[in-house]
């Protein structure tokens, strides 16, 4: 599928996150260990928060390992909140509008996994997107539709509830069409302040997802790793697969759970899809 | 907007059509005289019929004047029926899935113009597309939707009626949403045997469209133009703007008309949109 | 040919420079008024100085007016020294390694114009490049060779002398090969602190080049233009053609001259090419 | 490094060669078994002979597995002589001018391997290229230089001797610069009639290379494989790694050898590099 990384914490150069670690995301674009595919070469994207009102997004259809602009931009852009995604396309065409992260105003959204038999359920799902949001769908990927469903169901107000409803709808419509496994996902979304990360699949056998151990513990475990001393106490990474082999550094997000990285105490909670109360649109 | 060319006749190399004439389509990509924009640099596409069951399509987001592959392929591919299109995007993103011609099985479709205030009407139009055709929409352009509407309304059986119904629906839904000029278009479509070319706009002030004079007359007028002797009697070009300044060679397709290039006598007839009899989908 | 812009002054977002003015560089990519070509759609590049040791460079083969990443990056990157270039290729292929600005360590270099009959003189010119610099030539453009010649002749120590020697060599070798007009150029180069801009052509009929009036005068002339109040007194633009029609704002760099934008008083001086003292390499 | 395929025989669609076999070249772009890298995603190219005076070439920087145009063109182009190459870049930038096959008039040339420490020897090698050929070098790859050396040393008259001299020079200049293993290569070249394929490396441990068993034997071994009955008796494939697991179908080209596929009897001969008699250019 894909690999992704979400970082929140002290401002760092994107290069530090993307290129410098041993088994970095860029390395994973050629040699993923835990992914469904070892190669994630069907485009990539980064999103970050800075001075402007909305987050910056840079997406390209080239393999991430190739892109010279990515290398340069990564060295020059610092940010306290970064999303990065490398894509292994399954079905939908390789074009920038299918690359993650997707953006809506202050929000970013990215995904590893798929909506099962998307061509069967796409129309019904798109019909459930709020008509005012519909025109901003530009590509043809399942994730962009999932994002717009989450926005439709209130992502900006209550992200866990909105994602639960969106996923519930995907399962409901999938079942209606006889799709065996309607959804497989790890998803991250952010408003520039908090980050929500979800791990779920209809078959309860979800793609891997890890979060980094809290900084004070990590520093105590690895006093020799310099970068740990440069980051603030609240800095946190969430990743599809570990980017550096550091004992005690990585904790698996449990099956059917979500985490919140936020000011104050981070949280880890169970995730249960919940089909929307609203009637499915007429004619579906 | 865009410029396009449709050729039907003796097999010729695509280079002969695209690069060799004085004011060729490639030249028009930089210096259009009659277009709404002088530059048509937002991607291009060619479609042609050959040995395979479906027509070949080559589409790219680069300006046509730049693309070296286009030059090589044009020199190497011969075909009796060629569509070529250069794009000046208005609004929708520059990606190959928004480039013309669009293909569905044996059919090709291309368009110069636009659906007015597309973001307002897009959802209703997409809802009217046959659900079995819906998943094959891959891009975000107005033309791809128009093509799928025409397919929905029977393009493969009766092209003029299907296009009239599609355009009628666009006008009906446009009016519902208060769009002043719902459509502006010159459109060409083909099944690999005949070519249909339409000129129409809601405001009755349509983009230019020309067809070439019949070969016997042209040869009599210009015995010095060698290529004319190499083409069969039935060879015909339809173009957004003349590709060669040759007295007596170009005839304007009248406002609100369509032409058919076919075996036997070609035809030119009036075109009148006709909203579909079927009820607009519930909830629209 | 091409159009370019060099900015030095208070840190501004690149968007302010590239997109916001009326007749912005992006607008010039489609509608240049003073350029040899109205369309400059054969790739573009930006270079800027920030936190990293070397300037950032972002180059793409797409037309600048198309590139969504450019728009996003421009909104997110602020810099006190920016180079931007849009290309109209003449001869050499459209690839990122032929896009300007070129970079060598702390230096950037960009060019509007050409080396006359480059295919005739290229080998001799490349032979004159310092062998240690030679492997860093990655593309096939005349400008990249000119830059490497300037580096060979001491650009990092004395830019005006180095450029004079490089241009002198181009004229010497051009004459040897019977090239009527060996060079046509406006060139900008910078080390991240000062900017040098040259206007010269062998035929003394050089492409246009303008520098902005000093800020205090501009503010007095146009108290209503807000942005002028936000920029430091030393802020300066150098451009191929004016980016905003503001009376009194633009001054032509005289024929065969160069200017220096630097700390303290800026300078404007005559430019005279001077062939290198060193013997031309054996066998040339 | 890379993977390549050369086909000579009955005209076939390129699709038959590239996409249809089990472990096709396209499959090898993601999952090479014998290559130095499993992923060959840094661009690709095809070359073929048809009606035009020079062979067609289509090259792209996208991974071959992604490129929709390649799929369409492959289905539509038939040719009796096809070269195809997928690239895993080592060092030189990913741009179409670095993609194989390279073309010079009627000739094509492609390569798997590398010139050792190319940045050290590049200048001396380029100096040895015939000055009249020099301007046609457009990219920055080692292979393009090797091809131009072979052309310089008479490729068009005596391919084995020209390649032997080019390789001899690469070894001579490599040794001068202290390069331990100056060259590693499998190379294919053709004039549109015969195909020459070389396997050699300075360390005598060359990349794999295979040629297909003659058709009559293959048919006798595998009467059930239909395509074998459609091909003429002289049809032959040469490949970096087998494209279909068929007992008795593939024969390794021996170390330090070359083969010729030609009208009449094909040949297999030893290959010995031979430094050029001509003095190395002054100053080298």
């Amino acid at each position: 599928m894909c690999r992704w990384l979400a970082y929140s914490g002290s401002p760092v150069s994107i290069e530090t996150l993307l290129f410098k670690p041993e088994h970095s995301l860029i390395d994973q674009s050629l040699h993923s260990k835990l992914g469904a595919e070892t190669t994630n070469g069907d485009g990539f994207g980064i999103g970050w928060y800075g001075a402007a009102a909305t987050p910056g997004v840079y997406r390209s259809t080239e393999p991430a390992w190739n892109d010279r602009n990515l290398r340069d931009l990564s060295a020059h852009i610092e940010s306290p909140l970064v999303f990065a995604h490398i894509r292994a396309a399954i079905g939908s065409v390789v074009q920038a509008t299918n690359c993650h992260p997707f953006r809506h105003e202050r929000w970013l959204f990215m995904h590893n996994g798929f909506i099962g038999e998307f061509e069967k359920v796409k129309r019904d799902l798109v019909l459930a997107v709020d008509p005012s949001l519909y025109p901003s769908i530009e590509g043809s990927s399942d994730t962009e539709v999932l994002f717009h469903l989450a926005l439709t169901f209130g992502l900006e107000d209550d992200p866990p509830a909105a994602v639960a409803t969106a996923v519930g709808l995907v399962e409901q419509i999938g079942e209606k069409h006889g799709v065996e496994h309607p959804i497989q996902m790890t998803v991250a979304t952010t408003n520039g302040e908090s980050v929500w990360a979800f791990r779920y699949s209809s078959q309860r056998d979800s793609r891997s997802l890890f979060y980094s151990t809290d900084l004070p513990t990590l520093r105590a475990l690895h006093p020799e790793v310099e970068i740990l001393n440069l980051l603030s106490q609240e800095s946190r990474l969430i990743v599809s697969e570990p980017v550096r082999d550091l004992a005690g550094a990585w904790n698996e997000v449990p099956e059917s759970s979500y985490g919140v990285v936020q000011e104050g105490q981070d949280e880890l909670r169970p995730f249960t899809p919940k089909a929307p109360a609203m009637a499915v649109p007429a004619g579906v």
Side-chain angles (χ1 to χ4, degrees), chain A:
Chain A
M1 316 297 121
C2 311
R3 305 281 79 189
W4 59 255
L5 165 164
Y7 170 80
S8 170
S10 309
V12 293
S13 82
I14 293 178
E15 186 183 43
T16 307
L17 299 169
L18 245 60
F19 288 89
K20 296 210 168 149
E22 244 173 281
H23 184 52
S24 71
L25 200 69
I26 300 307
D27 182 50
Q28 292 176 24
S29 69
L30 269 172
H31 307 290
S32 163
K33 291 173 187 167
L34 304 183
E37 289 284 349
T38 54
T39 307
N40 294 275
D42 301 331
F44 69 88
I46 55 174
W48 72 96
Y49 291 81
T54 55
V57 168
Y58 174 67
R59 303 192 290 184
S60 164
T61 58
E62 291 187 50
W65 69 79
N66 257 352
D67 194 278
R68 291 189 165 197
N69 287 323
L70 176 61
R71 197 168 277 274
D72 248 57
L73 296 167
S74 292
H76 275 269
I77 297 174
E78 286 207 345
S79 172
L81 205 169
V82 176
F83 272 28
H85 187 278
I86 53 178
R87 189 166 178 245
I90 36 173
S92 58
V93 66
V94 176
Q95 56 189 15
T97 54
N98 285 351
C99 290
H100 312 215
F102 296 93
R103 174 177 56 195
H104 178 76
E105 294 169 7
R106 287 284 294 170
W107 289 77
L108 294 175
F109 190 93
M110 61 186 173
H111 172 213
N112 170 30
F114 54 83
I115 291 180
E117 303 184 51
F118 185 51
E119 69 295 345
K120 277 196 192 164
V121 296
K122 182 176 181 185
R123 187 170 182 273
D124 286 359
L125 294 178
V126 167
L127 271 173
V129 170
D130 188 296
S132 70
L133 290 167
Y134 174 77
S136 64
I137 298 180
E138 291 188 315
S140 56
S141 72
D142 49 358
T143 302
E144 194 182 19
V145 172
L146 184 62
F147 178 34
H148 281 78
L149 287 172
L151 286 165
T152 297
F153 295 127
L155 183 70
E156 291 154 298
D157 297 323
D158 183 347
V163 172
T165 312
V167 171
L169 182 73
V170 170
E171 292 196 322
Q172 185 187 65
I173 288 179
E175 277 150 30
K176 200 188 98 187
H177 287 275
V179 178
E180 196 182 352
H181 300 306
I183 197 162
Q184 169 62 259
M185 73 178 216
T186 66
V187 155
T189 188
T190 180
N191 58 0
E193 285 158 26
S194 303
V195 175
W196 293 263
F198 301 82
R199 183 178 182 214
Y200 179 75
S201 59
S202 304
Q203 66 208 95
R204 305 298 187 274
D205 181 16
S206 303
R207 300 283 181 255
S208 60
L209 188 62
F210 299 86
Y211 62 96
S212 60
T213 298
D214 66 284
L215 254 287
T217 309
L218 263 183
R219 279 184 203 132
L221 283 168
H222 299 282
E224 79 290 0
V225 178
E226 255 177 78
I227 181 126
L228 300 175
N229 297 310
L230 304 173
L231 300 177
S232 73
Q233 194 146 324
E234 303 228 318
S235 299
R236 184 83 79 182
L237 266 173
I238 310 176
V239 295
S240 295
E241 64 184 80
V243 292
R244 188 195 272 265
D245 187 12
L246 211 57
W250 301 105
N251 313 280
E252 201 172 23
V253 174
E255 183 61 56
S256 304
S257 301
Y258 73 92
V260 195
V261 177
Q262 58 193 350
E263 221 190 298
Q265 188 61 41
D266 293 348
E267 290 172 34
L268 192 58
R269 294 177 177 278
F271 176 78
T272 313
K274 191 176 161 239
M278 60 174 261
V280 171
V284 170

